[in-house]
Amino acid sequence: MRTSTPDPGWENLLSGAGHSLIAEATAMHARGESLDRIGLTLRKDGHAGDVVAAALTQVQLREKAAAKFGDAAKNMLFTQAGLEQASRDVVAREHAARFVRAGATSVSDLGCGLGAESLAFLNAGMNVRAVEIDPFTAKLAAHNLSAAGARASHEVITGDAELLGPGGSDAAFFDPARRTAGHRDTRRIASPDDYSPSLTNAFSVASTLPTGIKLGPGFERELIPEEAEAQWVSVNGSVVETALWFGATRSGENRRSALLFSDRGAAIERNELSAPADSLDAGISGVREYLYEPDGAVIRARLIGLLAERLDATMLDEHIAYMVADHLTPTPFASAFRVIDELPSKEKQLKRALTELDVGTVEIKKRGVAVDPAELRKRLKLKGSQSATIVMTRIGERHVTFLVERVPTH
């Protein structure tokens, strides 16, 4: 069983006194007091040191959680590991929408963690049966679901999701543990065979119920069942998950999709690229006026060929995910650059070329070459007054470097 014991003082956070202590520490921090000073004050007031330490950690975790949960984070309880693994609110709401479209009125969240998915399911109007194997994490999930004040009914059950199963729910959602047990400093589990619940169990449930399975961005494609829709999700350019959808949760005949969320001021923009299967590779050509770098979700979904067709683009190299085109076409699925010139790829000559251009700050994009941009930037020691972007890659066996400028794509 993947269970662990919480650090001293953490259990106290679940009490009314614990909630009040966190609220007091939060208010003091909002007034500009440092965490060290807050800790001293609270300990002088008679609070136990381990409880104060737990409360201060909770203040920090809630601040970090705001990026994922917004204002809801103010009333939630987190662990470091649980927060790292929790779905962002915008992604969890997308999951919930799948079940709503599938006609589900109740869902079992098998491996619910801190309850991020369950919260979205509740807010979408579905009844939730959440199962979590770690007792302390289950207590935090129960707090988080109760704090949400959702109208639908819910229960949090402590136990093994494989043994308890989906019960009488209309649908099931799995978020298998992919890290070692613990509430902080956990490690990734390398083999899918060791996930909890296991993929075998999840796939078995998926054969009988509408089911979603959340997995890591690098999940092995060879393990994706033929009957599943696989969707790679990106948030602000970072791929955050691979989701597998079965039965009525699938989107028609599409089996491959890339879903992108981007912050646009007060709004979040949603864009999806989908196809019945992996797209065919695009043709290859030399460098053209514009260079595109597809979003990581498009690359992992193997939909580069479909995107290239929409952009009237070709590949710079058959093994590298850079596309080139003669004209700029607006798209949310790739970053675009105008190619200004080709620069030397050898370090000394590259430094000389950038120095001649009076470059002092350089953004280094790279694919297909063994270059550490941060280390290269240090070695170049540029001191000019201008900024520049370079793309380092290869065409066949030849290493190439292009001076480019970013251009808006939509």
Side-chain angles (χ1 to χ4, degrees):
M1 292 180 65
R2 298 187 187 281
T3 62
S4 59
T5 302
D7 290 339
W10 278 74
E11 287 277 4
N12 298 70
L13 301 183
L14 293 162
S15 67
H19 299 334
S20 297
L21 184 62
I22 296 171
E24 184 178 356
T26 299
M28 295 169 72
H29 196 45
R31 292 195 295 269
E33 295 189 42
S34 70
L35 293 177
D36 287 342
R37 183 173 181 81
I38 295 170
L40 286 172
T41 300
L42 294 178
R43 285 192 290 272
K44 285 181 180 179
D45 289 343
H47 297 286
D50 55 1
V51 180
V52 170
L56 294 180
T57 300
Q58 200 59 224
V59 171
Q60 293 176 297
L61 290 174
R62 283 182 171 179
E63 289 180 348
K64 292 179 180 179
K68 283 189 174 184
F69 297 96
D71 288 342
K74 296 177 182 178
N75 298 313
M76 297 174 67
L77 294 175
F78 303 96
T79 61
Q80 176 184 310
L83 178 57
E84 290 173 355
Q85 297 167 54
S87 294
R88 292 159 176 78
D89 179 60
V90 65
V91 179
R93 283 189 276 115
E94 182 74 21
H95 296 162
R98 289 258 186 175
F99 289 112
V100 171
R101 290 194 297 269
T105 60
S106 61
V107 60
S108 278
D109 187 359
L110 300 170
C112 72
L114 294 174
E117 306 288 349
S118 289
L119 277 172
F121 300 154
L122 282 173
N123 289 332
M126 290 177 285
N127 298 324
V128 173
R129 176 178 175 272
V131 179
E132 170 56 44
I133 197 169
D134 182 79
F136 183 63
T137 301
K139 291 178 182 178
L140 297 188
H143 165 84
N144 291 339
L145 297 190
S146 296
R151 296 177 182 176
S153 68
H154 68 272
E155 62 175 334
V156 178
I157 304 170
T158 302
D160 189 330
E162 287 200 27
L163 298 178
L164 294 171
S169 298
D170 297 338
F173 184 83
F174 287 85
D175 184 0
R178 300 180 297 280
R179 302 186 72 91
T180 54
H183 302 294
R184 57 186 174 88
D185 301 326
T186 58
R187 302 185 310 278
R188 291 190 181 279
I189 296 169
S191 174
D193 294 336
D194 296 326
Y195 290 173
S196 176
S198 69
L199 284 183
T200 300
N201 175 255
F203 291 160
S204 175
V205 171
S207 68
T208 61
L209 284 179
T211 298
I213 305 174
K214 173 188 171 184
L215 299 162
F219 182 71
E220 296 178 44
R221 292 174 63 95
E222 293 75 15
L223 298 178
I224 298 173
E226 180 68 23
E227 66 274 17
E229 175 190 348
Q231 182 174 73
W232 286 263
V233 181
S234 168
V235 178
N236 293 327
S238 177
V239 186
V240 297
E241 74 173 30
T242 306
L244 304 184
W245 299 101
F246 299 81
T249 63
R250 285 183 46 170
S251 300
E253 296 302 316
N254 291 323
R255 293 186 57 252
R256 297 288 181 264
S257 59
L259 178 61
L260 281 57
F261 292 104
S262 305
D263 287 334
R264 302 294 180 204
I268 297 178
E269 184 175 288
R270 178 190 186 280
N271 292 283
E272 186 173 6
L273 186 68
S274 58
D278 295 353
S279 60
L280 297 176
D281 293 338
I284 302 170
S285 73
V287 66
R288 300 161 75 180
E289 185 170 356
Y290 292 96
L291 182 146
Y292 292 94
E293 181 179 36
D295 185 275
V298 175
I299 296 171
R300 290 183 182 273
R302 293 186 184 170
L303 296 177
I304 297 176
L306 176 61
L307 181 58
E309 181 181 344
R310 294 187 178 187
L311 301 176
D312 192 22
T314 52
M315 305 301 297
L316 197 58
D317 180 278
E318 64 177 325
H319 300 297
I320 298 174
Y322 282 136
M323 301 180 295
V324 289
D326 293 325
H327 305 285
L328 180 66
T329 302
T331 179
F333 299 109
S335 300
F337 306 85
R338 186 173 69 85
V339 180
I340 300 172
D341 198 2
E342 182 172 348
L343 301 179
S345 289
K346 291 186 177 180
E347 195 169 310
K348 287 184 179 180
Q349 290 90 327
L350 176 61
K351 178 177 180 178
R352 185 180 304 119
L354 292 172
T355 299
E356 290 175 356
L357 292 168
D358 193 29
V359 173
T361 303
V362 62
E363 177 189 21
I364 301 173
K365 307 285 295 181
K366 65 103 176 181
R367 284 188 181 277
V369 292
V371 173
D372 183 327
E375 291 300 319
L376 175 58
R377 196 178 294 109
K378 289 179 183 178
R379 294 196 302 270
L380 290 173
K381 298 179 180 178
L382 300 171
K383 300 177 181 179
S385 62
Q386 303 298 310
S387 60
T389 299
I390 62 174
V391 172
M392 307 187 76
T393 186
R394 60 180 173 81
I395 301 175
E397 298 301 318
R398 183 170 72 94
H399 285 210
V400 293
T401 300
F402 298 112
L403 177 67
V404 302
E405 65 176 359
R406 287 182 177 272
V407 292
T409 55
H410 70 301

